[in-house]
Structure formats: structure tokens, C-alpha cells
Amino acid sequence: MNNIEEQRDQAKAELIKQQEAMVDIMDDIPKWAYCFVQIRDRSTGKLGPWTARPYQMKAMRSKSRKKVLRWGRRCGKTEAQIIEMLYWCAKIPGFRVVIVTPFESQIRLIYMRLFEIIEDSPLIKMTVKSKTKNPYILTFKNNAAILGFTAGTKSGQGAASIRGQKADLIYMDEADYLQDNEIEAIVAIALESPEIRITLTSTPTGKRAFFYRACNMPEMGYQHFYTPSTELPSWGPQMEGEFRAMFSEVGYQHEVMAEFGDEVTGVFNKNYIDRAIDIELYHYMDLSSQQTAYVKENKLKPKNIGIYGPDHPAPLALRTIGVDWDKFRDVST
């Protein structure tokens, strides 16, 4: 009798151990991926577990609901997001992912890779209910779904149509190529609930737009992850030479080093603009009572440089006046 009870206790302990291990796996995206996702080695054709690189692991394990990934070429930003989408859809019944890209070709490549991973991963494949490419919709037996959209037009009308979608995770790929009004219309989905997740990924274009602000302004609430292509395990002189030959110096800074640098189509050096914006606070005349109160309340220390005149000449400095041009030729303004 004691022997039977011991066997039962051992079986119970083993079951509890397995359950705890499964809970640990389901709470950790890289572990879940290693156990459930299979990928095919392109050189040998053999299947093996998907293994996160250190910087992918760091981003995946972040508890932040708003993330921005500024990663260089071939760092696997899109692949990491595909894995994360599959994880959330497997873990939470009815979970809904909305993918947004600037161009049709990008959403097509994402779904192609998504379908490849599912086809090579039997445990995930058996959970799929249906998949279509026109429109781009992947549904699971637990009612979770992944929907793909393109932002559409420069006017943001395509993004506005996405705004009515329900989402638990919004993923914007190549976000720096989206217009600000497009991103703002898409992000508006998240106003429905603070639980909605948003992830932006891109290599920089040099624009000082939404993606740039999300990377550089912590008050926007995005956790910033930066990885240049030089962090790739395969990085070396040969790969560096290939990239150097492929891109201009500005392109290399954007695509490989994932630095904002200058905008390829820009007129002004963005580093100079950044420095000008960053100039210390100053004033010419004495502050009014309202200005004094504002300065005191915000703990600011503006410098009084006085009024220029015969007794107070202007400091030697270059001055420029910038003007904008109206590409729509609206002469009424």
C-alpha cells in the first residue's frame, strides 16, 4: 500500500513539475519559440528550433506595451515580430494583431514568412483555422487572428480605414516610411484601451518625424531598442565590405548603423538642425510676471542676453531665415 502511495506522490510531483515548466514556457516568448517554432536552415534544409539572438531576446522579454525597435539591416526585426505575434495568438484566445506597412510588397513578404514558419512548425500549424492573402488574414482555432494592411495613400486615407479595426497588438513595420498622419490615425486604435500593445520597427530614413520622436522622447512612452547590423553574429570584414559597396555613406548610416543622420532627400544637415533646436533658453527683455512665474514653476534658467543696440552689439554669429514652399501651389495663402 505504501509503495502505491509513493508512486502516486511521485506521479503527482512530476505532473506539478511539468505544469510549472509549461507555465514558465508560456510566460517567456523566447522559450516558447524554442519549444514550438521550427525553422528551416537555408544551407542544409534541416528543421531546428527558432533561437532568439541576445538583442531579440531583450526586446521580446520587455514588459513594456509600447516598443520601438531601431535595428539595422538583417537584424531580424520582422522575424522577431512574427514570432511574437504567433506567441500572443497561441496564449490568448481571441487575440487580434493588426500589421501595417507602407507598401503592399512589405505586407506580402511578412505573410510569406509567416506562412513558411507555420508550415514548418507542426504544433502551430495544427492550431490554424484559415489563411488568405487577399485580404491578408490568418485565423486560429481559438479565434485569434492576424490581419495585414497597407497604409495606402500619402493623404492617410488608407490608415484612416484601419482606424476602425479592433486590435490587441498593433505592429507597424518600416514605420519611418509611414507619414505622421498615417501613424497617428493607426495609433488612435490604442485609445480604446491602455492594454493595447504597439510596436514600431524600422531602419531610420533621417526624418525627424514620429519614429524619430518615439526613439528620442521617453515622454511618448515607447521603450527604445537600438541594434546596428554590426551586432549580427555573422558580422565581419566580408559583410561590412558588401554593405559598403551596396550603400552610399548616408545609406550605410541609416541601413547598417541604424543612425538617423541626414535625410537622404533632405536639404539641410539634420545634425545642425538638432543643435539649433537644442540651444539654451534666452531672452532679450526683462521677463513679465507671467513669464517669471512660468520659469520658476518649470525650474528653467533662461539667459538674459539683452537688447541689441549701439551699446550692446549682437554677438558674431551666422543667422539664417528658413522658408517653406507650397508644393500644392495654393496661391490663396
Side-chain angles (χ1 to χ4, degrees):
M1 188 66 177
N2 289 337
N3 189 35
I4 294 175
E5 289 179 354
E6 287 178 5
Q7 291 178 352
R8 286 177 178 173
D9 289 342
Q10 289 176 358
K12 185 177 180 181
E14 183 62 28
L15 180 60
I16 292 172
K17 185 178 179 180
Q18 291 176 1
Q19 290 173 337
E20 289 175 347
M22 183 56 68
V23 169
D24 182 53
I25 290 170
M26 292 305 294
D27 282 342
D28 189 286
I29 300 177
K31 288 182 181 179
W32 176 88
Y34 188 84
C35 292
F36 291 95
V37 179
Q38 295 281 303
I39 61 167
R40 193 173 299 277
D41 188 291
R42 293 182 181 179
S43 59
T44 65
K46 294 182 179 179
L47 290 174
W50 189 87
T51 305
R53 297 166 182 165
Y55 56 85
Q56 290 174 323
M57 198 175 295
K58 183 179 179 181
M60 286 176 157
R61 285 177 170 160
S62 166
K63 300 300 181 183
S64 176
R65 293 187 177 276
K66 296 171 69 176
K67 295 186 282 189
V68 56
L69 278 55
R70 179 165 59 101
W71 292 0
R73 183 69 69 93
R74 297 186 193 173
C75 283
K77 53 185 179 294
T78 302
E79 180 117 341
Q81 292 313 301
I82 287 174
I83 299 300
E84 194 160 338
M85 294 174 209
L86 290 171
Y87 165 82
W88 288 113
C89 287
K91 183 176 181 178
I92 302 177
F95 194 88
R96 197 178 185 95
V97 179
V98 169
I99 308 171
V100 184
T101 66
F103 310 110
E104 176 77 17
S105 58
Q106 290 166 305
I107 198 72
R108 184 166 59 248
L109 288 173
I110 289 174
Y111 267 76
M112 184 184 298
R113 183 57 181 148
L114 186 58
F115 292 163
E116 285 175 353
I117 290 175
I118 289 172
E119 193 64 31
D120 290 335
S121 305
L123 294 175
I124 296 178
K125 186 178 180 180
M126 64 187 298
T127 68
V128 173
K129 182 179 179 181
S130 65
K131 53 184 180 180
T132 62
K133 293 182 179 179
N134 188 21
Y136 290 97
I137 300 176
L138 173 65
T139 60
F140 298 85
K141 293 176 182 178
N142 66 351
N143 293 322
I146 301 175
L147 296 82
F149 299 89
T150 55
T153 63
K154 288 186 177 181
S155 65
Q157 292 177 355
S161 66
I162 300 168
R163 186 172 179 171
Q165 296 292 327
K166 174 187 177 296
D168 297 294
L169 167 61
I170 303 166
Y171 167 51
M172 284 177 266
D173 190 44
E174 296 297 355
D176 210 17
Y177 291 86
L178 291 166
Q179 302 295 317
D180 270 12
N181 58 343
E182 293 171 341
I183 297 180
E184 289 163 4
I186 297 162
V187 169
I189 299 173
L191 297 177
E192 295 179 9
S193 170
E195 300 299 308
I196 296 174
R197 299 173 178 273
I198 303 175
T199 299
L200 310 175
T201 67
S202 192
T203 51
T205 64
K207 294 189 300 183
R208 271 36 177 186
F210 192 100
F211 184 77
Y212 176 86
R213 296 194 298 274
C215 290
N216 291 282
M217 298 174 63
E219 58 268 31
M220 289 182 67
Y222 288 86
Q223 185 174 3
H224 178 212
F225 296 91
Y226 167 67
T227 304
S229 299
T230 53
E231 295 295 319
L232 285 167
S234 56
W235 182 262
Q238 181 178 349
M239 183 175 286
E240 181 179 3
E242 290 175 1
F243 279 136
R244 291 281 185 188
M246 188 184 305
F247 300 112
S248 65
E249 182 56 35
V250 172
Y252 186 87
Q253 290 301 314
H254 292 169
E255 298 291 334
V256 179
M257 300 309 297
E259 296 288 357
F260 283 95
D262 293 337
E263 188 174 0
V264 174
T265 58
V267 176
F268 300 106
N269 186 314
K270 294 297 171 60
N271 291 326
Y272 296 157
I273 295 174
D274 292 343
R275 285 171 57 189
I277 293 173
D278 232 5
I279 195 168
E280 63 180 333
L281 294 173
Y282 62 91
H283 59 100
Y284 298 105
M285 303 177 66
D286 292 337
L287 299 178
S288 66
S289 57
Q290 291 90 345
Q291 291 171 330
T292 301
Y294 178 84
V295 165
K296 184 176 181 181
E297 180 182 351
N298 291 276
K299 299 180 180 179
L300 302 175
K301 296 181 179 179
K303 182 180 179 181
N304 187 345
I305 59 176
I307 302 175
Y308 300 150
D311 300 326
H312 189 180
L316 295 175
L318 292 174
R319 288 170 174 75
T320 61
I321 298 176
V323 295
D324 197 5
W325 62 285
D326 185 9
K327 64 181 177 181
F328 297 105
R329 298 183 182 179
D330 186 359
V331 295
S332 63
T333 59

